[in-house]
Amino acid sequence: MKARIYVSLKPTVLDPQGQTIRSALTSLGFAGVAEVRQGKFFEIELDGLVRTEAERQLEQIAQDVLANPVIEEYRVEILD
Amino acid sequence: MKARIYVSLKPTVLDPQGQTIRSALTSLGFAGVAEVRQGKFFEIELDGLVRTEAERQLEQIAQDVLANPVIEEYRVEILD
């Protein structure tokens, strides 16, 4: 079973890296770019788990290991 | 208009960061995790562009700025 976990900064948290990319894009001539925010994702391959158990484990992995719940939010997507 | 650009290592390129996460998860008891690969994504807000022009610019941004086409691949997704 394949899944993806997307982790990004909460909307209320400043994203200096995204701001730097935005101003770089503006200076390169991409004037239409109003905002950039960066995040990361993890493609996870799971073996030998039924779907409900996989969902439970992915939720726990996202919450406890991959995201910092103080400043980040996450989204779990199961692909097949 | 909102769009996302996903950048990840090509499947043929080793991902030591993902391997480290996988072995950390295994030692934490998530035995079902067979593989982890990490990538990044960029949430981009575009103003004042028609869709075809936005698509062209996003493609160019992904190709020339955000991804390293030697080792990375990318995917552009327009949200609205």
Side-chain angles (χ1 to χ4, degrees):
Chain A
M1 190 181 304
K2 247 196 164 117
R4 287 209 196 99
I5 296 173
Y6 299 90
V7 176
S8 55
L9 288 171
K10 288 183 180 174
T12 49
V13 178
L14 274 181
D15 179 5
Q17 207 170 349
Q19 286 172 358
T20 305
I21 295 168
R22 193 201 55 77
S23 63
L25 289 174
T26 305
S27 68
L28 284 169
F30 298 101
V33 177
E35 204 193 347
V36 178
R37 288 184 74 84
Q38 194 180 348
K40 51 197 168 170
F41 68 91
F42 304 87
E43 225 166 73
I44 299 180
E45 180 80 46
L46 290 159
D47 279 349
L49 295 175
V50 296
R51 195 181 168 97
T52 49
E53 176 61 15
E55 277 169 4
R56 201 191 58 76
Q57 288 201 10
L58 286 166
E59 190 68 25
Q60 204 186 334
I61 288 171
Q63 169 95 27
D64 299 347
V65 185
L66 300 179
N68 173 356
V70 178
I71 55 166
E72 291 173 328
E73 58 190 14
Y74 62 85
R75 187 164 57 83
V76 177
E77 180 185 286
I78 295 188
L79 302 178
D80 53 33
Chain B
M1 190 181 303
K2 252 201 158 109
R4 288 210 195 98
I5 296 173
Y6 299 90
V7 177
S8 54
L9 288 170
K10 288 183 180 173
T12 48
V13 177
L14 274 182
D15 178 5
Q17 208 170 349
Q19 286 172 357
T20 304
I21 295 168
R22 193 201 57 76
S23 63
L25 289 174
T26 305
S27 67
L28 285 168
F30 297 101
V33 176
E35 202 193 350
V36 178
R37 288 184 75 83
Q38 194 179 349
K40 50 197 167 172
F41 69 91
F42 304 87
E43 225 167 71
I44 298 180
E45 180 79 45
L46 290 159
D47 280 347
L49 294 174
V50 296
R51 195 183 169 96
T52 49
E53 176 60 15
E55 277 169 1
R56 202 191 56 77
Q57 288 201 10
L58 286 166
E59 191 67 26
Q60 205 186 335
I61 288 171
Q63 170 94 27
D64 299 347
V65 184
L66 300 178
N68 172 358
V70 178
I71 55 165
E72 291 173 328
E73 58 189 15
Y74 62 86
R75 186 163 57 84
V76 177
E77 180 186 285
I78 295 188
L79 301 179
D80 54 34

